[in-house]
Each structure stands twice: as structure tokens, then as C-alpha cells.
Amino acid sequence: MSDVMDAELKAVKIEEANLPVIDLSGLRTGDPTDRVKVANALGDAARTSGFFYITHHGVPQALIDDVFAASKAFHEMPRSYKMKYWSGFTTHHRGYVPLEENGASFPKQINFNEAWDMSFEAPADHPDYLANWRMTGPNIWPDIPGWKETVSAYYDEIFSLGLTLLDTLALELGVDPAELTQHITTPTSQLRLLRYVENDMDATKDLVGIAAHSDFECFTILLQGGPGLQVMNADDVWIEAPPIPGCFIVNIGDIFETWSGGQFKSTQHRVNNIGRERYSLPLFFGLDYHAIVEPLEKFRTAETIAKYPPLKAGEHLMRMSVNAFRYMADARAKGVLKLDYDVPEENPFKRVAKTAAE
């Protein structure tokens, strides 16, 4: 890979950024005071740095090692094998996403990654699966021995961690957790097994690992196997966010920004094209497709109501996904994917970055 990098892709080093690393062990002591301390730390990080590392999260290292190995086992298969599970064969986005499917502007803009996508398991008779294009339904699985069991076990573990974080953030905001969890029965929470593809291209705004974006759900719990991630903090400055052993990275998504009336900012992030193979595992913790999202009662003011009009969680996810995956954009252009809502050119939660010197 060339050493050329656009100036706008540079970021503040982690040593200078002083990012929070939050110990979750206080959630398991049984002492309410310890739980409040953790909640306050999470809330402070969500309002300031905009993202944070979590340690002592309770996810076994052996399971982490196993799921990385499972991801590698699939991604090292021949393309002919992987394409048997192409997500374009589905209407609820399950399975393999090849490099050229990442964005409707390929090859003008390239996201150098491929992925396996799975979500919360819903039955084949679920109304949203039968209705098509609602990100809900049964998962599909490659015929690799033990693969389904390993990936499912990891999903269940991280989803459970997500529920814990949701309850703790509700405590910090001073709202009843049921006000949030009532929207989680068959959620669109997606796990991606990402592989960033080795290449010899420059790092530019059009040649990236993943282009800058916010996540569309409540928050993301990310495990990364190498450097490259950059995250925009609450001051709109890009900061490097390399992996820290034993830690996950958590970033706030569009739903929590809405719920909190803007107290928590949905975190922009990107992965520069570092030219090297890299694996990562994000879990996008979402809501049921039909959940209506608006500022929680505690945060409803004339200003927040105007800034955050009600949105349907699943429709927001689909709006942002249509042009993120080429097969969806093609299906929409051909009239196969028919939407009864608008698809904006960019996410309304997008923020403009400042330089570190500003």
C-alpha cells in the first residue's frame, strides 16, 4: 500500500485524546452504589468523548477467540463458496456481503471490506419476514462444522451485554428501563463478521475501509482485531481508536441521541484503508422494526420535539441501508424493493468534522 493519505483522514492520537476506559465489574457486585458509579461513568463518556472502551465486561476470552477463528474460517473460503450465501438472495439481509456490494457507488468509491451478517433469530412465519425488506427473519448459516454454534453463542453473549448496557444507561438518564426495553422483542440487532481486505491502494476519502457514518441503532458494541478505526468525539474531532486488550468499544447510535434529546451524540466513525487484512465484530444493538423513536418524556421540550421528529426504528435502518448495499439499490431501481417512505441522500444525524487545530 502507498504511504499517501489525504490530510482530512488524519486523526488525534489516542495518547493525546485521553479516552475513557470504563470498568463494568461494579455492575456485578450487587451494591447499588457501585452500579450508579458505572452508570455515571457511561453517561459522562456518552456526553463528552462520545464513545468509550469497556473492560471487565464478562465475555469469555475463549469465546472471543473462537468467533474470530470462525470469521477467519468463513472468509478464507473460495469466493464461489461464499457467494452461495450472498445476502442478495434474501430480502431481510442475511449472509455474505462481498466487497463490491458495500455502497451503491462502487467502483468509484470502494469500501475495502467483506462481511457475514446475521441478526436476532425470528421465525419464518413472522409477519415482518413475510412482508419482505424489514430486516427481520431467520438466519442462514454456512455448512462449516460448529460454525453456527460458535457464532450463535457469541451473538447471545454480546446481545445480553447490550441489554445490561441499556439498563445501565437508563439508570444514568433517570428513566425506567422498561421505557426502553418495551421496544425489544424481535429486534433488528445485527452482528457483522467483518474482514478488511488486503490491498495496495492509497488511503483517500473514496478508498476506505468503511466510509464515515453513524450507526442507526441504540449503540454498537465493537470488538476489533487491529488498528484503523477513527471516531469523532463530542467536539467533532476525529480521534484514533485502536484496540485495547480485554476491551470492547461502545459508540452511541442515532436512536439514543433521539431518546436523550441530543444529550448523547450519535458517534460518527470510519475505518481508513490501511491496506492490511483486519477482522472486526460489531454488534448493532437495535429495536423492533415498528418501534417509534422520539425523545423520552423526560427530555421532551419544544426544541427537542422539533429537532427529533418521531421515526420508526426499522424504517430508519432501511433508509440508511438502501444505498449502503448495492443489491438493495439495484432492487429499488428495478421496482423489486418498493418503499412507502423517503430515502434521504445522507443521514440526518451526520455531523461535520473539525480539524484537531480548530
Side-chain angles (χ1 to χ4, degrees):
M1 175 182 169
S2 168
D3 291 331
V4 174
M5 176 181 285
D6 285 359
E8 64 187 78
L9 299 181
K10 295 181 179 179
V12 174
K13 301 291 185 184
I14 186 173
E15 294 83 0
E16 303 167 20
N18 193 27
L19 298 176
V21 178
I22 300 172
D23 186 344
L24 299 188
S25 58
L27 300 178
R28 296 187 292 275
T29 65
D31 185 338
T33 302
D34 291 342
R35 188 163 177 260
V36 169
K37 287 179 181 178
V38 175
N40 289 342
L42 294 176
D44 183 62
R47 290 181 173 89
T48 54
S49 65
F51 64 106
F52 46 90
Y53 294 83
I54 55 173
T55 185
H56 296 113
H57 41 70
V59 180
Q61 185 60 46
L63 181 56
I64 290 172
D65 294 342
D66 287 348
V67 77
F68 268 128
S71 181
K72 188 176 180 66
F74 174 79
H75 285 300
E76 287 184 341
M77 288 290 188
R79 179 179 170 90
S80 58
Y81 174 88
K82 292 186 285 191
M83 285 302 294
K84 293 192 300 182
Y85 303 98
W86 177 44
S87 57
F89 292 138
T90 75
T91 61
H92 62 305
H93 194 70
R94 298 293 196 279
Y96 176 58
V97 182
L99 180 149
E100 67 273 13
E101 287 291 352
N102 286 295
S105 298
F106 181 90
K108 180 181 178 182
Q109 296 177 315
I110 302 177
N111 292 270
F112 283 101
N113 72 78
E114 58 180 348
W116 178 275
D117 287 347
M118 62 160 291
S119 294
F120 193 91
E121 184 76 26
D125 61 355
H126 192 286
D128 287 333
Y129 176 63
L130 298 176
N132 293 327
W133 305 108
R134 291 186 179 174
M135 297 295 201
T136 304
N139 288 305
I140 63 174
W141 303 100
D143 58 353
I144 301 174
W147 204 90
K148 175 182 177 181
E149 291 75 15
T150 296
V151 176
S152 294
Y154 181 80
Y155 183 94
D156 291 345
E157 192 78 26
I158 300 303
F159 185 78
S160 177
L161 176 60
L163 289 171
T164 298
L165 288 174
L166 189 74
D167 283 353
T168 310
L169 288 167
L171 172 65
E172 199 282 333
L173 290 172
V175 300
D176 184 345
E179 194 172 351
L180 311 184
T181 57
Q182 65 175 321
H183 302 298
I184 302 174
T185 59
T186 312
T188 59
S189 300
Q190 180 190 79
L191 173 66
R192 305 202 82 195
L193 278 63
L194 278 160
R195 172 181 174 260
Y196 292 85
V197 180
E198 185 176 0
N199 66 90
D200 60 1
M201 304 290 283
D202 293 335
T204 72
K205 64 182 178 63
D206 292 326
L207 302 174
V208 298
I210 288 182
H213 64 287
S214 67
D215 290 335
F216 321 128
E217 298 85 356
C218 300
F219 47 76
T220 301
I221 305 172
L222 170 68
L223 185 65
Q224 52 176 343
L229 176 66
Q230 297 178 348
V231 184
M232 188 189 294
N233 70 6
D235 294 322
D236 300 335
V237 174
W238 286 110
I239 291 178
E240 291 187 358
I244 296 177
C247 292
F248 289 94
I249 288 180
V250 178
N251 63 266
I252 300 298
D254 298 346
I255 286 174
F256 243 118
E257 176 171 331
T258 301
W259 272 345
S260 68
Q263 292 195 33
F264 297 170
K265 283 187 178 180
S266 186
T267 312
Q268 310 287 311
H269 51 288
R270 65 192 182 190
V271 176
N272 284 341
N273 177 34
I274 60 174
R276 300 189 296 275
E277 183 181 63
R278 173 182 180 271
Y279 286 86
S280 72
L281 302 164
L283 184 282
F284 306 102
F285 192 90
L287 306 181
D288 297 342
Y289 185 93
H290 298 281
I292 301 300
V293 182
E294 57 190 335
L296 300 172
E297 186 65 35
K298 181 177 180 178
F299 305 109
R300 290 178 65 80
T301 65
E303 181 181 2
T304 62
I305 290 170
K307 185 174 182 180
Y308 299 105
L311 59 86
K312 186 179 290 188
E315 287 183 1
H316 178 60
L317 176 58
M318 277 299 299
R319 282 187 176 100
M320 298 300 102
S321 298
V322 165
N323 291 322
F325 300 104
R326 194 176 64 167
Y327 82 89
M328 287 192 190
D330 289 347
R332 186 174 179 231
K334 295 173 183 177
V336 176
L337 168 53
K338 298 178 181 179
L339 304 177
D340 57 1
Y341 44 83
D342 295 331
V343 176
E345 291 188 9
E346 61 181 20
N347 190 345
F349 291 85
K350 181 179 179 180
R351 305 197 332 258
V352 178
K354 301 175 184 176
T355 66
E358 286 184 284

